[in-house]
Amino acid sequence: YPPADCPTPPPENIIVGNTVLYGAIAGECYISGVAGERFAVRNSGAVAVVEGLGDHGCEYMTGGVVLVIGETGRNFAAGMSGGIAYVLDDTGDFEKRCNKQNVEIEAIRFETTLAGRDEGGDLLANPLGDDAPRLRRLLERHLLYTHSARARHILQNFDSFLPKFVKIVPVDFRRALSALQTHAVAAE
């Protein structure tokens, strides 16, 4: 996060450079500000929240979770084959900046299986569902670690912001997870 006396608001402040989280395999990253190009490229397991990013975000991503609560550059999710991403689409034009060759953009699912789990929870559990509680937990953690005014505002108005979020899921990833769920149910 930027110093308290920084005159530039975080959603307009490029605070980290290009290729942050390149090839990340685990961990969490909360950035109160904007990332450069190729954020979370080849991310295979990290959890991240960022307040905006440049071109080619989540390119070739294979796992993990990324939440963007600001603008994205062009070519988002190019070659993305795993993991999930959420984007706050305030202006309704994110689809123009997303490379939909391997992914689908969908609305947030409101059902949950996270209830009853500890407060920390597994942010990577059930990637095809649990969207609303996952988003809330990501925003709460972002606020905790960065004191983000943007996260605070979204959390205070969560119900009105929730329909503005979109979820980006790779088609083959969804197919594989659905097959695993079907197999697990059949084995019971």
Side-chain angles (χ1 to χ4, degrees), residues 1-2 30-32 49 51 141-149 151:
Y1 55 87
Y30 301 93
I31 300 168
S32 182
V49 180
E51 297 191 9
R141 287 182 179 188
H142 186 60
L143 177 60
L144 174 69
Y145 294 124
T146 69
H147 309 290
S148 166

Side-chain angles (χ1 to χ4, degrees), residues 17-130:
N18 297 336
T19 68
V20 171
L21 295 180
Y22 186 98
I25 59 170
E28 297 180 30
C29 181
Y30 301 93
I31 300 168
S32 182
V34 178
E37 294 185 357
R38 293 195 157 82
F39 182 79
V41 168
R42 297 194 188 280
N43 176 25
S44 64
V47 173
V49 180
V50 64
E51 297 191 9
L53 50 87
D55 295 342
H56 315 292
C58 300
E59 187 178 40
Y60 302 114
M61 190 165 131
T62 62
V65 177
V66 171
L67 168 59
V68 183
I69 57 174
E71 291 292 314
T72 68
R74 64 183 175 80
N75 203 33
F76 188 90
M80 184 177 173
S81 62
I84 55 173
Y86 298 99
V87 174
L88 178 58
D89 189 11
D90 260 338
T91 57
D93 64 351
F94 168 73
E95 190 169 347
K96 290 188 259 180
R97 292 185 304 282
C98 185
N99 183 324
K100 297 184 295 180
Q101 187 173 10
N102 298 328
V103 301
E104 293 176 336
I105 301 171
E106 62 184 46
I108 298 304
R109 295 175 187 228
F110 293 89
E111 78 280 356
T112 180
T113 60
L114 288 174
R117 295 185 187 173
D118 66 24
E119 214 30 56
D122 182 357
L123 292 168
L124 301 175
N126 190 21
L128 297 182
D130 295 330

Side-chain angles (χ1 to χ4, degrees), residues 110-177:
F110 293 89
E111 78 280 356
T112 180
T113 60
L114 288 174
R117 295 185 187 173
D118 66 24
E119 214 30 56
D122 182 357
L123 292 168
L124 301 175
N126 190 21
L128 297 182
D130 295 330
D131 296 328
R134 181 177 296 110
L135 283 170
R136 181 178 291 280
R137 285 197 181 157
L138 286 167
L139 288 163
E140 288 169 348
R141 287 182 179 188
H142 186 60
L143 177 60
L144 174 69
Y145 294 124
T146 69
H147 309 290
S148 166
R150 179 101 169 122
R152 180 178 293 110
H153 177 70
I154 294 168
L155 284 165
Q156 289 170 342
N157 301 283
F158 191 69
D159 291 339
S160 62
F161 272 98
L162 201 52
K164 296 178 182 180
F165 282 98
V166 293
K167 181 177 183 178
I168 298 85
V169 181
V171 175
D172 291 338
F173 184 64
R174 176 193 311 286
R175 188 177 303 120
L177 288 176

